[in-house]
Amino acid sequence: MVGFEVEQSGGRLSFEVRDISGALPANSGGDLGDVVVGALIQALGQPTIALARAVVLTVNRAYSEIRIEMQGARADTRIRLLRVTAQRFNQHLLQLAADPHWDPEVKQLLDQALREELRKEIVKLGRS
């Protein structure tokens, strides 16, 4: 378990990665935090995510789960992802690690591609 804080809307949001798959590098939370929280903001909207206290990403080989701890809620919001699994997160991290001197625009494009995949899956699951 690795904990980080992610900047969002002028505040700080606790973000934690739990890697059950064993596939992710130990320091991956910083790179994944901005992407995952950004996807949640886009998919759920600012008023909803503004009530979040913490986000926990559990990564497994068969699925990933995003757990959002909401202020005042009795139960956490859980989103189980079947398409964006440990393999996809690891692929993203390997791309970032391939060149330690990424042009910021290239890194932004890689982050944006993963963020969009996450957003689409979260929105699709919300409709189900």
Side-chain angles (χ1 to χ4, degrees), residues 4-6 13 15 23 33-34 41 45 48 50 55 62 72 78-79 88 95 104 107 119 121 125 128:
F4 295 88
E5 285 194 338
V6 177
L13 180 64
F15 179 80
D34 290 332
I41 290 170
T48 301
V55 174
R78 294 177 182 266
I79 303 168
R88 179 60 182 102
Q95 287 175 321
K107 182 185 182 308
R119 184 198 66 78
E121 186 167 3
L125 290 169
S128 304

Side-chain angles (χ1 to χ4, degrees), residues 5-127:
E5 285 194 338
V6 177
E7 185 79 31
Q8 67 94 20
S9 302
R12 308 288 291 162
L13 180 64
S14 172
F15 179 80
E16 183 179 320
V17 176
R18 295 181 181 170
D19 181 17
I20 296 170
S21 71
L24 301 181
N27 60 349
S28 61
D31 287 320
L32 294 180
D34 290 332
V35 173
V36 171
V37 171
L40 288 170
I41 290 170
Q42 290 175 1
L44 302 177
Q46 186 56 40
T48 301
I49 204 67
L51 297 174
R53 286 191 321 238
V55 174
V56 178
L57 172 65
T58 302
V59 180
N60 200 331
R61 293 196 192 285
Y63 68 91
S64 297
E65 182 178 83
I66 299 172
R67 182 171 48 94
I68 308 166
E69 298 174 11
M70 304 292 281
Q71 296 174 14
R74 292 183 185 183
D76 297 338
T77 300
R78 294 177 182 266
I79 303 168
R80 181 173 264 194
L81 307 170
L82 298 175
R83 291 184 60 223
V84 183
T85 62
Q87 181 179 358
R88 179 60 182 102
F89 284 119
N90 194 40
Q91 175 191 6
H92 177 74
L93 294 169
L94 287 173
Q95 287 175 321
L96 294 180
D99 185 351
H101 306 291
W102 279 112
D103 180 314
E105 290 179 15
V106 174
K107 182 185 182 308
Q108 185 178 7
L109 288 173
L110 291 172
D111 286 351
Q112 186 176 355
L114 178 58
R115 186 179 301 114
E116 183 60 17
E117 283 181 55
L118 281 165
R119 184 198 66 78
K120 284 180 181 178
E121 186 167 3
I122 292 167
V123 167
K124 186 177 178 181
L125 290 169
R127 292 184 194 146

